Amino acid sequence: MATSFAEENYLKIIYRLSESTLEDISTNAVAELTQTKAASVTDMLRKLAEKGWVNYQKYQGVRLTDEGEKIALSVVRKHRLWEVFLVDKMGFNWDEVHEIAEQLEHIESEALINKLDEFLDFPKTDPHGDPIPNKEGILPELSYMHLSDLKENKACVLMGVAKDSAVFLQLLTRLHLSLGAKLMVKEINPFDRSISVSINDSEPVFISHEVAKNILIKIV
Amino acid sequence: MATSFAEENYLKIIYRLSESTLEDISTNAVAELTQTKAASVTDMLRKLAEKGWVNYQKYQGVRLTDEGEKIALSVVRKHRLWEVFLVDKMGFNWDEVHEIAEQLEHIESEALINKLDEFLDFPKTDPHGDPIPNKEGILPELSYMHLSDLKENKACVLMGVAKDSAVFLQLLTRLHLSLGAKLMVKEINPFDRSISVSINDSEPVFISHEVAKNILIKIV
DNA sequence: AATATTTTTTAGTCAAGACTAAAAATTTAT
DNA sequence: ATAAATTTTTAGTCTTGACTAAAAAATATT
Ligand SMILES: [Mn+2]
Ligand SMILES: [Mn+2]
Ligand SMILES: [Mn+2]
Ligand SMILES: [Mn+2]
């Protein structure tokens, strides 16, 4: 069955919301991310349920069916592969690619996306460190910590971000915090939980707890 | 002003029809290429005229305004650049790219299309030999002959096709007729105007007039 | 337990872009 | 110059995906 852009966007957003909770997803949560109103979401949820892509009961929230998740994963796969393309091949910065990928993720061609995957050398993660499902829809297992949870004087590598708004990414770039950077927390201030971090062995810089919370790392 | 997919498709098709005639374009001609009905076209022509992209008077046919042509050329540019990408970088055959480019041509990002242009080394023509407008909307001048108009025993090179339906392109491929092939007409049969052509100096093969008419060449 | 607040759904509208059937205008043929 | 055929437009309808305002259900507060 063919899926419209709107349907794909909804499924992807329900998927993303499901990643961080086991509970059913609320109408309002979906409305916020789709940038629509709750009433519009209710309408769409009924349609998606009708097509067998979500389980939905009035007032009970929504959850993807296996088939719905499969579609969502394929959209996520396309989104993230196109992001890799935009950064690695087109030379965009990591804060510039989201909107374009938001469009490209709806291009309908299995053949194209698999050739693109190959062209990019089967990347495991996108420019924000998010995992890319393979063509079977299997996500590589990545277990990252938040920089905010790291003890002092432990070496680690920046592996991803937990938020990909342009302003956040631009801030990181200004601080020379990019994927692969070697980090070490030098000091944790109990007052506001801000930290001072050395990036690639240079002089430590200050980072708010809010920022540290959204930086994903791997201990080396 | 933002342009919808539908509007872009209409403008592109009106542009394509205008290339081969100086007359105004008829409602039916547009309907045929957009795969819609004449009534739907009439509706859309009114909207396009409203936006200042076409000149349209009831029963008089339609013609692009300068602004409309600018939009059409940008869609054509995107379509053809994506086709080059699909063939040169993704490894598709020339008969497989049209539908995908039909979608990709609507991706909205000046920055992306200009980076893509550079990535592809500023190609002058697409995989079917059609000229690619530059970012200012200027088309390179290409003056090709039809193979059907060529005299016997004149060497030439296949530069493009005047039709890009998949079946036609697949036929050419089977005959080893691809862009850049060296051709020489060995014989013209007055009966049905079919010709016998040597391709890259190999044994001549027979080609119908219909096929020869749609092969574009340059004399060497 | 009753009330207030928040969330979600329903009801009614709207715009875009398609359709069919019928009417009107234009073009072609006699 | 009429009549016939063709093309184009109008009128009315449908689907998708949005909206607002109001009603209903669920949740939180006293
Ligand atoms: Mn999207
Ligand atoms: Mn990403
Ligand atoms: Mn298109
Ligand atoms: Mn082409």
Side-chain angles (χ1 to χ4, degrees):
Chain A
M1 199 183 296
T3 50
S4 69
F5 284 24
E7 289 166 341
E8 291 188 348
N9 286 334
Y10 274 95
L11 292 173
K12 187 187 63 175
I13 274 160
I14 297 167
Y15 173 81
R16 275 189 40 198
L17 289 166
S18 306
E19 280 182 306
S20 46
T21 176
L22 294 166
E23 321 247 307
D24 290 2
I25 306 307
S26 75
T27 300
N28 264 353
V30 176
E32 192 168 345
L33 291 202
T34 49
Q35 315 239 58
T36 61
K37 297 301 162 75
S40 310
V41 173
T42 300
D43 272 2
M44 182 57 93
L45 294 185
R46 279 204 297 102
K47 288 177 200 163
L48 296 176
E50 187 61 42
K51 299 201 177 191
W53 296 334
V54 299
N55 289 123
Y56 165 67
Q57 310 251 77
K58 274 194 202 186
Y59 296 104
Q60 308 259 110
V62 69
R63 193 185 284 271
L64 293 174
T65 62
D66 285 354
E67 212 194 328
E69 182 173 288
K70 212 179 120 210
I71 298 169
L73 278 164
S74 115
V75 178
V76 166
R77 170 171 161 80
K78 288 190 279 180
H79 185 103
R80 293 182 180 165
L81 282 174
W82 279 116
E83 282 190 345
V84 174
F85 170 76
L86 292 170
V87 169
D88 288 7
K89 304 293 183 181
M90 295 293 103
F92 281 99
N93 300 319
W94 67 348
D95 59 296
E96 299 174 316
V97 296
H98 191 76
E99 283 208 13
I100 306 177
E102 203 57 45
Q103 301 174 59
L104 286 164
E105 72 190 359
H106 305 293
I107 300 296
E108 200 177 294
S109 169
E110 275 296 288
L112 170 57
I113 204 66
N114 291 335
K115 280 170 189 274
L116 183 65
D117 196 10
E118 187 186 348
F119 182 66
L120 300 171
D121 265 319
F122 305 104
K124 294 270 167 298
T125 59
D126 80 2
H128 312 105
D130 292 313
I132 300 175
N134 69 12
K135 78 169 98 171
E136 277 76 37
I138 312 289
L139 278 164
E141 274 302 328
L142 307 173
S143 51
Y144 296 145
M145 285 179 63
H146 297 260
L147 181 59
S148 50
D149 295 332
L150 191 69
K151 294 262 153 58
E152 277 139 322
N153 293 311
K154 283 209 173 256
C156 68
V157 177
L158 200 165
M159 298 303 288
V161 290
K163 170 182 285 211
D164 54 12
S165 77
V167 278
F168 175 60
L169 296 173
Q170 281 156 16
L171 171 60
L172 295 193
T173 302
R174 207 164 64 239
L175 296 168
H176 300 102
L177 285 163
S178 54
L179 245 59
K182 280 181 190 127
L183 308 182
M184 188 177 285
V185 176
K186 294 298 187 181
E187 206 185 331
I188 305 177
N189 303 299
F191 171 63
D192 60 355
R193 294 197 285 171
S194 68
I195 62 177
S196 121
V197 175
S198 160
I199 302 163
N200 293 321
D201 302 311
S202 66
E203 273 306 292
V205 295
F206 273 90
I207 288 178
S208 71
H209 177 70
E210 184 62 24
V211 166
K213 225 173 52 185
N214 285 295
I215 292 177
L216 302 176
I217 52 143
K218 187 177 73 182
I219 295 174
V220 285
Chain B
M1 200 183 299
T3 49
S4 68
F5 284 24
E7 288 166 341
E8 290 187 350
N9 285 334
Y10 274 95
L11 291 173
K12 187 187 63 174
I13 275 161
I14 297 166
Y15 173 81
R16 275 189 39 199
L17 288 165
S18 305
E19 281 182 306
S20 47
T21 175
L22 294 165
E23 321 247 307
D24 290 0
I25 307 306
S26 75
T27 300
N28 264 353
V30 176
E32 191 167 348
L33 290 204
T34 49
Q35 316 238 59
T36 61
K37 297 300 162 75
S40 311
V41 173
T42 300
D43 273 2
M44 182 56 93
L45 295 185
R46 280 203 297 102
K47 290 176 200 164
L48 296 176
E50 187 61 41
K51 301 202 177 192
W53 297 333
V54 300
N55 288 123
Y56 165 67
Q57 312 251 76
K58 276 194 204 185
Y59 296 104
Q60 308 258 111
V62 70
R63 192 184 285 270
L64 293 175
T65 61
D66 285 354
E67 211 195 328
E69 183 172 289
K70 212 178 120 211
I71 298 170
L73 279 165
S74 115
V75 178
V76 167
R77 168 171 162 81
K78 289 189 278 181
H79 185 102
R80 292 181 182 167
L81 281 174
W82 280 116
E83 282 190 344
V84 174
F85 170 76
L86 293 170
V87 169
D88 287 7
K89 304 292 183 180
M90 295 291 104
F92 281 100
N93 300 319
W94 68 348
D95 60 297
E96 299 175 317
V97 297
H98 191 77
E99 282 207 15
I100 305 177
E102 203 57 46
Q103 301 175 59
L104 286 165
E105 71 191 358
H106 305 293
I107 300 296
E108 200 177 291
S109 169
E110 276 296 287
L112 171 57
I113 204 66
N114 292 335
K115 280 170 189 274
L116 182 66
D117 196 10
E118 187 186 349
F119 183 66
L120 300 171
D121 265 319
F122 305 103
K124 293 270 167 302
T125 59
D126 81 2
H128 313 104
D130 291 313
I132 300 176
N134 68 14
K135 77 169 99 173
E136 277 75 38
I138 312 289
L139 279 164
E141 274 302 328
L142 308 172
S143 51
Y144 297 144
M145 285 180 63
H146 297 258
L147 181 60
S148 51
D149 295 333
L150 190 71
K151 293 262 153 57
E152 277 140 321
N153 294 311
K154 283 209 173 254
C156 67
V157 177
L158 199 165
M159 298 302 288
V161 291
K163 169 182 286 212
D164 53 15
S165 78
V167 278
F168 175 59
L169 296 173
Q170 282 156 15
L171 171 59
L172 296 193
T173 303
R174 205 162 67 238
L175 297 168
H176 300 103
L177 285 163
S178 54
L179 243 58
K182 280 183 190 125
L183 308 182
M184 188 177 283
V185 177
K186 294 299 188 182
E187 206 185 331
I188 305 177
N189 303 300
F191 171 64
D192 59 357
R193 294 197 284 171
S194 67
I195 62 178
S196 119
V197 174
S198 159
I199 302 163
N200 293 321
D201 303 312
S202 66
E203 274 306 290
V205 295
F206 273 89
I207 288 177
S208 70
H209 176 70
E210 185 63 23
V211 167
K213 225 173 52 185
N214 285 295
I215 292 176
L216 303 176
I217 51 142
K218 187 178 72 180
I219 296 173
V220 285

